[in-house]
Amino acid sequence: MKTKENQSKFTLSSLVFCFALLTIITLQSCTTKDAYQAVNTNANNNGEGENEDNNNESQSGSNESHNAGQNCMDCHIPGGSGAEKLWKIGGTVYKEDLVTANTTATIKFYTGPDGTGVLKYTLTADAKGNFYTAANIDFSAGLYPVATGTTSSNYMSSPVTTGECNSCHDGTNRSRVWTN
C-alpha cells in the first residue's frame, strides 16, 4: 500500500534522477574542444582555405568601397543596383566623434555577448571605414558584434540576425558603429 511518505520519496528520487540525467547530457555536450577550438577569422572562407577573391570582402587600406554610412543592402541585394556584389554583412565604422571613419577597426562576431562564446567571423574596415563580405554568414542563432579599434572595443548587447548594420546604425535612429 502506498503511503504519502513513500510517494514523496518516489517523487523526490525521480526528480533527482531526472536532474542528474540532464546534467550529464549537458556536460557531455560542452567539451573543452568546443571552447578552445581554432577559429578561422576570415569571414569569406569559413575554414575552406584562402580567400582568393579579395573583392568579396573588405580589406585594410582598400579604397574600392563607396557610400560610407549608407545601408549597403539597399543596393547589394538580388535585383539591386549593386547586385554584382551581394553582401551578407555591410556597414561603416567610425571613431568616437561619429564623423571620422575608423580605417583600422575590425568587426568581430561572437556567439555570446561581450566577446564570449565562439568567434565566428572577423571583418576589417577598409580605407573608408566600410566593412563587408559576400561570404555565407549563419545568423540563425544570432551573433554579437564587437567593434574593435586600436584603443577600445564597443560591444553590441543584443544579438543580430542580419548583416545590415547601417540600416539601424545610421546616426539618426541609433548611434553609428564606432570605436577608437
Side-chain angles (χ1 to χ4, degrees), residues 61-146:
S62 172
N63 213 6
E64 294 182 24
S65 69
H66 55 260
N67 298 330
Q70 295 183 23
N71 182 9
C72 307
M73 275 52 150
D74 284 345
C75 300
H76 293 280
I77 56 171
S81 61
E84 70 280 357
K85 300 288 184 180
L86 302 177
W87 302 143
K88 305 296 192 222
I89 296 175
T92 309
V93 61
Y94 295 88
K95 292 187 176 181
E96 188 174 14
D97 66 8
L98 304 178
V99 175
T100 308
N102 190 325
T103 61
T104 61
T106 57
I107 308 298
K108 298 179 181 185
F109 295 86
Y110 288 90
T111 58
D114 300 323
T116 63
V118 176
L119 173 61
K120 298 296 278 187
Y121 311 102
T122 297
L123 294 172
T124 303
D126 68 10
K128 296 178 181 172
N130 290 330
F131 55 92
Y132 51 89
T133 185
N136 287 324
I137 305 295
D138 181 8
F139 287 106
S140 62
L143 295 171
Y144 292 84
V146 179

Side-chain angles (χ1 to χ4, degrees), residues 2-16:
K2 290 185 179 180
T3 66
K4 283 191 174 196
E5 185 179 317
N6 287 343
Q7 282 180 326
S8 69
K9 283 182 182 178
F10 176 74
T11 303
L12 181 60
S13 65
S14 295
L15 287 173
V16 170

